[in-house]
Amino acid sequence: MLSQSLLLGVITAVGLFSNSFSENSKVYPQTPPVNNTEINSYAQAVLAMEPARQHAFEEIKKMIGTGEIPQIICNDPNSINRLPQKAQDIAVNYCVLSQKIVQDNGLKSDRFNQITMEIQNNNSLKQQVYNTLLRLQQTPDSR
C-alpha cells in the first residue's frame, strides 16, 4: 500500500515525467469540470503507470550517473533529445506505454493532460484524486 506522502509524490511525478502524451495536444481556454468517472479513471491510470515510471526513471538515472535527470515531457522532442540515445529509447517506450495505459483506463491523452494540469491548480480536485488513489490502494478489486 502506498503511503500518503508517496501518493502525492506519484501525482507530482506523473505531472513532471509525463506532463503530455500526444503529439497534437491542444490547449483549451477552459477545462471542463472533472467528473467522478474521470477521477477514478485518472487514478487507475496513475497507479498502473507508476511502476513503469519508476523503472524508466531508475534506468535513465543509471545511464546518466550522478547528473540530474532533466524533466521529460513526452510530446516535447527537445526534452527527450537531451538524453543519451539509450535513455531516449527508455523514455519513448515509457511514453508509448503510458499513453496506452491512459487509453486502457478510459481517458484520451488530451483529457488526462487536462486533468493533470487542473490538479496542479485545484486543491479540491487534488484531494479527490488523492482520496481515490487511497481507496484504490485499499480495495484493489475495485479497479
Side-chain angles (χ1 to χ4, degrees), residues 11-21 53 56-57 60-61 64 67-84 87-88 91-92 94-95 113 116-117 120:
I11 293 171
T12 302
V14 168
L16 292 176
F17 193 81
S18 58
N19 194 10
S20 300
F21 291 112
R53 186 200 65 80
F57 182 83
I60 291 171
K61 189 175 176 181
I64 292 178
E68 188 173 323
I69 297 176
Q71 181 177 354
I72 299 168
I73 301 171
C74 290
N75 74 336
D76 178 3
N78 291 327
S79 75
I80 294 175
N81 290 338
R82 289 187 291 244
L83 299 169
Q88 288 178 26
V92 168
Y94 168 76
C95 290
N113 294 334
T116 299
M117 297 299 286
Q120 295 170 3

Side-chain angles (χ1 to χ4, degrees), residues 11-72:
I11 293 171
T12 302
V14 168
L16 292 176
F17 193 81
S18 58
N19 194 10
S20 300
F21 291 112
S22 66
E23 292 293 325
N24 54 6
S25 291
K26 298 173 186 157
V27 176
Y28 297 92
Q30 186 175 3
T31 302
V34 182
N35 64 45
N36 288 336
T37 300
E38 290 176 319
I39 291 170
N40 195 56
S41 294
Y42 182 90
Q44 288 175 336
V46 167
L47 288 174
M49 71 176 69
E50 180 58 12
R53 186 200 65 80
Q54 286 180 356
H55 180 73
F57 182 83
E58 288 302 318
E59 290 298 310
I60 291 171
K61 189 175 176 181
K62 287 179 194 173
M63 290 177 188
I64 292 178
T66 59
E68 188 173 323
I69 297 176
Q71 181 177 354
I72 299 168

Side-chain angles (χ1 to χ4, degrees), residues 68-131:
E68 188 173 323
I69 297 176
Q71 181 177 354
I72 299 168
I73 301 171
C74 290
N75 74 336
D76 178 3
N78 291 327
S79 75
I80 294 175
N81 290 338
R82 289 187 291 244
L83 299 169
Q85 182 60 49
K86 287 185 179 184
Q88 288 178 26
D89 294 342
I90 292 168
V92 168
N93 288 340
Y94 168 76
C95 290
V96 169
L97 177 62
S98 293
Q99 185 173 16
K100 181 179 180 339
I101 289 169
V102 166
Q103 290 171 350
D104 288 350
N105 281 282
L107 292 172
K108 293 184 178 183
S109 297
D110 286 347
R111 186 60 176 156
F112 182 90
N113 294 334
Q114 286 177 341
I115 295 168
T116 299
M117 297 299 286
E118 184 66 20
I119 286 171
Q120 295 170 3
N121 300 314
N122 181 331
N123 286 332
S124 174
L125 178 59
K126 183 185 289 186
Q127 187 64 46
Q128 287 177 292
V129 171
Y130 172 78
N131 290 340

